[in-house]
Amino acid sequence: MTVTSLADRLPASPPELPEHPHADVTFIQRPPLGSILRAVSLPPYGGDTVWANTATAYTALPKELRTLADNLWAVHANTPDNAPTRSSDDSAQARTMRETFTARSFITEHPVVRVHPETGERLLLLSKFIRRFVGWTPENSQPLLKLLRTYIPLPEHAVRWRWAQGDVAFWDNRSTEHYAVRDYDPHPRRMQRITLAGDVPVSVQGEHSRVVAGDDTDYTTSLTHPHDGKPSDRDHLASPPAP
């Protein structure tokens, strides 16, 4: 099942994108399985993409932190402050992106550690969309969340790809975080992306992620109709601009 991305409806080089590792669209019950990204036009320098492995990040945690993380759940939401622009950017383009991103409210509770449905690996699910841990206040959640997240972008857990014209990358959104290095301004960088609809995360204890608010049924609708195999113009997935 494939879904289109908000990136397909936005300029190729959005203004002031935040540069930090993230997994896409974790505020819905079925975050994307992964994405396929193709380099259409590249700047003369810069614009690499970095992927970090959340399975190796999990195994790098001290035993005590792994035990704690195994039993934690987190509240993910698509609030304006985690839209795919910097909050300080008040341009018309950035405002439009934020309005599109928050047009519908989604709140979901996910396990902090999910089990990969194919490999059985334990993976950290610690995206930027986390507001707090379940049963914790936002203030008390932030120090532990910050500590856990420090294990994800370590160089030994990451790979950095230097794009060449026509390159195609396919990554698992369930077991990685990614970001584009913003070192190519003012040159344009155009990438074409297909995002794949995903499954409901399952915790170490076998519990499934829970919807608090928002129906994501049509948020990850199939692009292809069985009778004609052609994409539908109305189906979309509002994910961040292409990394």
Side-chain angles (χ1 to χ4, degrees), residues 33-45:
L33 178 153
S35 289
I36 303 169
L37 192 66
R38 182 174 72 93
V40 178
S41 60
L42 296 169
Y45 56 82

Side-chain angles (χ1 to χ4, degrees), residues 89-102:
D89 185 353
D90 196 41
S91 66
Q93 181 179 327
R95 288 198 301 271
T96 298
M97 290 171 69
R98 284 193 288 269
E99 288 168 3
T100 301
F101 183 77
T102 58

Side-chain angles (χ1 to χ4, degrees), residues 189-208:
R189 175 183 183 271
R190 183 165 176 248
M191 314 295 280
Q192 188 176 52
R193 180 167 70 175
I194 295 173
T195 299
L196 307 177
D199 51 285
V200 179
V202 178
S203 73
V204 173
Q205 294 78 19
E207 298 179 57
H208 290 76

Side-chain angles (χ1 to χ4, degrees), residues 49-70:
T49 297
V50 177
W51 287 274
N53 188 321
T54 58
T56 56
Y58 171 81
T59 58
L61 293 174
K63 179 181 177 181
E64 294 78 9
L65 267 183
R66 289 200 304 270
T67 300
L68 177 58
D70 284 345

Side-chain angles (χ1 to χ4, degrees), residues 5-233:
S5 165
L6 175 61
D8 300 325
R9 296 180 280 115
L10 294 171
S13 185
E16 297 298 309
L17 285 179
E19 184 181 302
H20 52 71
H22 61 278
D24 290 334
V25 199
T26 63
F27 48 81
I28 60 176
Q29 189 185 27
R30 296 172 176 82
L33 178 153
S35 289
I36 303 169
L37 192 66
R38 182 174 72 93
V40 178
S41 60
L42 296 169
Y45 56 82
D48 297 352
T49 297
V50 177
W51 287 274
N53 188 321
T54 58
T56 56
Y58 171 81
T59 58
L61 293 174
K63 179 181 177 181
E64 294 78 9
L65 267 183
R66 289 200 304 270
T67 300
L68 177 58
D70 284 345
N71 292 280
L72 283 174
W73 286 66
V75 178
H76 298 239
N78 62 326
T79 55
D81 61 324
N82 57 36
T85 63
R86 289 179 180 160
S87 56
S88 58
D89 185 353
D90 196 41
S91 66
Q93 181 179 327
R95 288 198 301 271
T96 298
M97 290 171 69
R98 284 193 288 269
E99 288 168 3
T100 301
F101 183 77
T102 58
R104 290 187 291 167
S105 176
F106 294 94
I107 305 174
T108 303
E109 294 177 354
H110 289 302
V112 168
V113 178
R114 66 173 296 182
V115 178
H116 196 287
E118 278 89 41
T119 68
E121 292 175 294
R122 296 186 183 189
L123 316 165
L124 290 176
L125 180 46
L126 293 171
S127 86
K128 64 176 181 175
F129 301 111
I130 291 179
R131 314 321 301 153
R132 60 181 177 83
F133 295 124
V134 174
W136 297 40
T137 65
E139 294 76 17
N140 288 340
S141 300
Q142 285 307 308
L144 178 57
L145 177 59
K146 184 177 180 181
L147 172 62
L148 291 170
R149 284 199 55 81
T150 60
Y151 286 84
I152 294 176
L154 294 176
E156 57 266 36
H157 302 155
V159 61
R160 178 167 174 158
W161 185 256
R162 181 164 297 172
W163 292 94
Q165 196 71 35
D167 277 357
V168 175
F170 182 9
W171 72 89
D172 190 329
N173 190 62
R174 300 165 299 184
S175 59
T176 62
E177 292 196 4
H178 61 275
Y179 72 96
V181 181
R182 294 283 296 183
D183 58 354
Y184 54 90
D185 288 340
H187 303 286
R189 175 183 183 271
R190 183 165 176 248
M191 314 295 280
Q192 188 176 52
R193 180 167 70 175
I194 295 173
T195 299
L196 307 177
D199 51 285
V200 179
V202 178
S203 73
V204 173
Q205 294 78 19
E207 298 179 57
H208 290 76
S209 296
R210 306 179 285 259
V211 174
V212 177
D215 181 1
D216 69 356
T217 302
D218 66 342
Y219 202 86
T220 53
T221 308
S222 175
L223 263 177
T224 304
H225 295 287
H227 64 282
D228 61 10
K230 296 178 181 178
S232 165
D233 292 333

